[in-house]
Amino acid sequence: MADQPEEVQRFVEAIQALEAIEDDAEAARAATAVLEAWPDYHAKIRELRQRRVQALKENGLTWQQIADQALGGVHATRAQQIAAGKRGTKRPTKAEAEE
């Protein structure tokens, strides 16, 4: 975790703090509050990444450079998809999840 940005470390520490809550009801309430807020924050994080990838491209980096340097070695095509706001395919569709 030492090679992660400070903000990522703080995020992980916040999750660990939730896990450390000894009272089960209190821990469940806290986890519920986080999960209720998560969709908004998830969208904000995706939008932040998209804007920053677009800025990198506008500053002259290639898709491959962006993929390697900023996105942890994903495929260059994925860097383009992120810039376009396209989601990955890892999550199942609603119909798949219901099966």
Side-chain angles (χ1 to χ4, degrees):
M1 195 166 87
D3 61 337
Q4 294 290 339
E6 179 184 341
E7 294 78 10
V8 174
Q9 291 177 18
R10 290 196 317 246
F11 180 75
V12 171
E13 289 168 0
I15 294 170
Q16 291 170 340
L18 289 171
E19 291 175 328
I21 298 172
E22 291 187 20
D23 181 85
D24 291 333
E26 184 181 342
R29 277 191 296 276
T32 297
V34 169
L35 290 170
E36 287 175 349
W38 178 247
D40 292 334
Y41 287 107
H42 184 254
K44 286 179 184 182
I45 292 169
R46 286 182 66 245
E47 291 165 6
L48 179 148
R49 180 178 66 170
Q50 180 181 1
R51 283 192 316 271
R52 296 302 178 107
V53 166
Q54 291 169 343
L56 290 168
K57 184 63 177 167
E58 289 169 7
N59 286 324
L61 272 67
T62 67
W63 291 120
Q64 190 62 57
Q65 289 171 320
I66 294 168
D68 292 342
Q69 298 171 16
L71 299 175
V74 300
H75 195 277
T77 303
R78 181 67 188 125
Q80 289 178 290
Q81 291 169 341
I82 289 168
K86 295 182 180 177
R87 293 181 172 213
T89 59
K90 290 185 179 182
R91 279 181 272 157
T93 64
K94 271 189 171 183
E96 291 171 340
E98 290 174 358
E99 290 177 359

